[in-house]
Every structure is written in C-alpha cells, then in structure tokens.
Amino acid sequence: MASSISSFLCSKLFTTLILTFILLPFVPHSSSSSSSSSQVDHYIVFMDSNAMPKVFATARHWHLAILASLTAAPDNHQVASSKLIHSYSHVIDGFSCTLTSSELDALRNSDGYLHSIKDVPVKPYTTHSVEFLGLRGSGGCSASAAWEASNYGEGMIIGSIDSGVWPESRSFGDHGMGPVPARWRGECAQFNASLCNKKLIGARSFHQGLDARNITIGKNSSARDDTGHGTHTASTAAGNFVPGASFFGYAPGVAKGVAPRAHVAIYKVFHQDKGVASDVTKAIDQAIEDGVDVLSMSLGPKEVATSLYDDPVAIATFAAMEKNVFVAIAAGNGGPTPKSLSNSSPWTLVVAAGSIDREFRAELHLGNRGVSVSGLSLYPGSYLSAQAPIVFMGDCLNETATAGEALKGKIVVCQHKNQMLGYQLSNIQNSSAVGAVFIGLDAELLRVYVEDNHMKTWLPAMFMTLEEGEAVKKYIKSSSSSSSKNPRVASLRFGITNLNRRPAPMVAGYSSRGPSPASPYVLKPDIMGPGSLILAAWPPTVEVATVTDSNPPFYSTLYSD
Ligand SMILES: *[C@@H]1O[C@H](CO)[C@@H](O)[C@H](O)[C@H]1NC(C)=O
Ligand SMILES: *[C@@H]1O[C@H](CO)[C@@H](O)[C@H](O)[C@H]1NC(C)=O
Ligand SMILES: *[C@@H]1O[C@H](CO)[C@@H](O)[C@H](O)[C@H]1NC(C)=O
Ligand SMILES: *[C@@H]1O[C@H](CO)[C@@H](O)[C@H](O)[C@H]1NC(C)=O
Ligand SMILES: *[C@@H]1O[C@H](CO)[C@@H](O)[C@H](O)[C@H]1NC(C)=O
C-alpha cells in the first residue's frame, strides 16, 4: 500500500477559496452544562517572567502553580494540569489555559499577570506558483537569476504551519537534496521516523487547544494531512521537482515548489480544518526552538482582529521576526470587501492571491460545420464525448421538461440565469443528459464559478460567455429540425490547458483587501502571488473530483493520480 501510494503523484490544483467554502462552521464546544458563573473559556495569558519565584525550575512549573492557586480543590495540582493547554517559551512569556470567569478574575490578581486574550478559532487560507513568476531554472529574466542565485532555497528550512503533510508524496522525496543542516534541532516526532528524509526533516502535531474545547479529532496526533491544504501549501513553498505532474491532464509539466531545494518542517495545527490560536502559537514557539528560517502560514483568525494586541498570531510572529525567522503569511480570503484583511502585522510579509496566465478549457465541436467553440471547464481527464444531439433548453429550470428520459443521450445548452447557476447545474445533472453547455456568464463570474464548483460538477460540462455562446445558439437555431439531413449534433472535448490568458495576473476576487482594521497606517498586503488553481501535491485519500460516465449516472470518485 505504502509503495503504491508513494508511486502516485499526489497532484491537485485548487484554490483555498474552495477549501474555505467547504469548511464546516467552527462550533466552539465550551461546556454548556455549567451555569454562567462557572462558564469556561480558553485564554492566552501574558506573564512578566521577572515575577517568577526562583523556586520554579521552569516556567511551566510556575504556570501550573499559578493555576493550582486558583482552586481550593484538594487535587488542585491535577486540576491545574487539566487547565493548562500550553506553556510558551519563545513567542511570549505566558501560557494558554481553560478558566471560568471567576478563575480569570482571580488570575488577574496573581503576581506577574500582565494581560490575557481569548483563544480564538483560526482557519486555513491559500498560497502562491512558479512558472508564472518567471522561475524557469535558467538565467535570463531577473526573477530566474535570483532563483538560481539562491540555489533554489538550498540549505533553508521552511516551517509549514498548516494541516500536516502527506509524506509519501513525491514532492517530499529527497532526490538531489543536500544534508540536513547541523543547526536543525527539530524532529520527526509525529511520524514513523522512516517517513522523514533530507527534504521532510520535521513533523509535529499540536492539538491541546482543540482538546480543551472537547474537540477530540486532534487526539490522533499523527502529522498526516487529513484535508490536503497543508500538503498543497508545503509543496507549493518547497516541493521537490516532480516530472509528469498534472491534474487529470490539466496543467501538465514538472511540479515544483518555489524553493525546491529547501528543507521542510511540518507543524500540524489543523485537524479536519479546525484549529485554534493557542495551538498555532505553540507551533510557532516550537518552530523557533527547532531552528526554522522561514515560516509559511496560510491561516488566520476566523474573525478579523481589530487590534494587533488581541491577535495571538500577530504577537507570535513578532517574536519569530525578533529571532530572525522570516514570516510569509496569506492575506486571507475575505475579499473583495474592503477592510477584510485578517493578517496585517507590519513585521510579516502579507501575500495577496492572484490569478496566473493559465486557464483550463473545453471545446464544443459543432457537427457538420468544422466549427468549435471554446469555454472553461475543469472536468477531469482528456475526455472526448461521442457526437450527440444538441438541444437548447432556455434556462434549464423547468424540471418537467428535463425530467426522466427527455434529455437522454443529449448535450444540453442552458442560458445562465443570475444567481441560479447552482440550481441549473443540479437540475441538468439530475436529468439523463450526457453533457451540458452553460452560456451567458460574464468573464469573471465564469472563472470564479468554474474554480469554485468543479468538485460539484460531475457531468461533462463547460461554461462560456454570452459572446462565445452566440455561435452555439445560432447553430442550433439555423439547423432546421425538419431537415433530417442536417441534424443538430455536437461533441465535447476536455482537458485543454491554455497558457496565455490575458490580463494576468489579476487580484483574485476572494483575496482579502486592505486597509487593515488592526494597523490601518501600514499599507498591506505587501505583494501578490499566484493563488488560484495552483498545481501542487495532494493526499491520495482526499477527494478532488467526481465523475459520471454512464447513463443513468454512475458516480465514481477520482483521487489524484
Ligand atoms: C466531551 O464530549 C464527550 C463526547 O461527546 C461528552 O461525553 C463529554 O461530556 C464532553 N465533556 C465536556 C466537558 O463537555
Ligand atoms: C516504521 O517504518 C518502517 C519501514 O517502513 C517499518 O519497518 C517499521 O515497522 C515502522 N515502525 C512503526 C513503529 O510503525
Ligand atoms: C490517524 O490518522 C491517520 C491518517 O489519517 C490514520 O491512518 C490513522 O488510522 C489514525 N489513527 C487513529 C488512532 O485514528
Ligand atoms: C415545462 O415543461 C413542460 C413539458 O415540456 C411544459 O408542458 C410546461 O408548459 C413547461 N412549463 C413552463 C412554465 O414553461
Ligand atoms: C437533484 O437531485 C438531488 C437528489 O435527489 C436533489 O436533492 C436535488 O434537489 C435535485 N436538484 C434539482 C434542481 O432538482
């Protein structure tokens, strides 16, 4: 099994926009049984370490003693250790813990207490692509020269704070890698050590903050990726060269990260897309201790913070910056609304998401005409349909007209109706049509729709603008139904990659916009990187597309190949 998994290239193009949309809403499970005075919550507490009595060997002992002093229970030391989530060493002087409101009041009177903020849920975002940046491996343009001069990140250690990794992916193979730097102090703690190598040099998992909320999914402490986001972002940052990569034929080529010779250390903080700031803070703390050079983070608080003092990720990354760790962090996916920027610390490189010049297309070949019309699609595979009758069904919303065998064996053309596309698509996917063409979307809506919804599109379907669709409608109208010599037929071809889309890059609609509510005087984001439809590694166990290839529909799930 392991060898067959590792022989797979786990590849996937994806936007985190999609991931963000499929996120389950985060439901904090604070104990609801208790009365309001003993209502528990979770806090990150800042302490003045100068106030620590000399009797304590470590800060952790002191933190436990403080928590023990808050309760009169005879087993107060046990209670204290159940309340302590993490003690921090590098990012802050302090700890995270579970407290009732009366315990918090008591804590405020403890010696050395400075400040506390509520632990908050965090969510995963998106990252960046290589070819489009001009990084092609030989000199010429200045970006290439810089890439070469940096030896593709050789000797650097990049820490990925995300949902873990699929270690068998070929992007994490160590072919061509130099030795693990002697300064590295981390370890492959949450994997069988045989899964780490000269590329993947560390793996740890953090879940105590989730455990404190009685969300037990993190208790499986493996650093293995359970959603794909971490594998995708880590291989985008530092994946090794992988020839023959594609997404079911789309975007074929050699996959590689921006720093393909850098080492990678994994800090898993998302468990089934759930994560909290106390665990992220601990991951940053540990990454500093382990000796990473760069932190790559595609996450942020679920609610936009209005003050940097209340944003644990901003505070923790400040410490990282002080320790010479460079932090690159995604702007967020709250756009296009202004002031939707969740990460805006002046000391981090905040990266907005943009499109690249690549798009994925399908062609509709109109029968007897030698004419083909092109549109967008991510239907998996280089699939060529047989010639089939093509019919125009208006907005395709009349369920009586599309039900049963009415559309059996036909390619259906639908006129897009504003706000109804999901329903239109669903209605046609429920019919017995063999293919679908949706026309009348404006160019931006078209792109966004295809990127966001390709996982829900299991019928061979393509999407085009009104202008592109005119030829199709004209063909259907012009071929008189009475003429059996001139039947209205067409075929569909998928799997076409177009590399010269213009204009490019464009800021993605979903990319968070400034100004930042927390630091409005600093212009953010700093730069824009390719963030939409980026090909990178993906776990073979996480579904990326669904297809039907028979009629009545037979559903099968495609994993990355
Ligand atoms: C935690 O969850 C378990 C299982 O859902 C439940 O039995 C238990 O009462 C919960 N504990 C708290 C403190 O909410
Ligand atoms: C670790 O992996 C090696 C090689 O695949 C295997 O022989 C060993 O049994 C594994 N150890 C554990 C604890 O799973
Ligand atoms: C932990 O997660 C890994 C990867 O998803 C899985 O293979 C393993 O069975 C899980 N272990 C437990 C105890 O759930
Ligand atoms: C829906 O289609 C049926 C069957 O073709 C037709 O009888 C009916 O009039 C249509 N309804 C509308 C509102 O167009
Ligand atoms: C398509 O079928 C599914 C499953 O039966 C149903 O939930 C959905 O509402 C249908 N869609 C439309 C537009 O009727």
Side-chain angles (χ1 to χ4, degrees), residues 269-306:
V269 296
F270 290 115
H271 302 267
Q272 292 169 22
D273 277 335
K274 291 189 171 64
V276 288
S278 56
D279 289 340
V280 174
T281 303
K282 187 63 183 177
I284 297 173
D285 201 65
Q286 186 67 53
I288 292 171
E289 177 149 335
D290 290 348
V292 306
D293 301 304
V294 174
L295 278 175
S296 171
M297 295 168 57
S298 295
L299 57 83
K302 221 165 161 271
E303 308 283 334
V304 175
T306 50

Side-chain angles (χ1 to χ4, degrees), residues 207-227:
H207 49 82
Q208 291 80 351
L210 279 183
D211 297 348
R213 293 172 187 246
N214 206 18
I215 296 173
T216 53
I217 46 178
K219 289 231 166 84
N220 179 357
S221 66
S222 163
R224 190 172 285 283
D225 191 357
D226 49 13
T227 61

Side-chain angles (χ1 to χ4, degrees), residues 326-362:
F326 181 84
V327 181
I329 193 160
N333 292 344
T337 323
K339 298 188 189 170
S340 50
L341 201 56
S342 341
N343 292 313
S344 57
S345 325
W347 44 89
T348 57
L349 183 78
V350 179
V351 186
S355 66
I356 58 175
D357 62 347
R358 183 171 66 192
E359 63 185 3
F360 306 113
R361 302 197 70 92

Side-chain angles (χ1 to χ4, degrees), residues 43 61 86 111 126 138 210 228 247 251 278 281 296 311 313 323 345 420 422 425 492 510:
Y43 300 91
H61 288 95
H86 295 291
D111 266 0
T126 188
S138 60
L210 279 183
F247 176 70
S278 56
T281 303
S296 171
D311 178 354
V313 174
K323 307 263 152 79
S345 325
M420 297 293 285
L425 181 64
L492 286 157
Y510 62 84

Side-chain angles (χ1 to χ4, degrees), residues 399 423 426-427 430:
E399 285 164 35
Y423 196 83
S426 166
N427 194 33
N430 286 353

Side-chain angles (χ1 to χ4, degrees), residues 396-397 399 422-431 458 555:
C396 293
L397 288 171
E399 285 164 35
Y423 196 83
Q424 292 176 292
L425 181 64
S426 166
N427 194 33
I428 296 305
Q429 292 194 140
N430 286 353
S431 80
W458 60 82
Y555 304 112

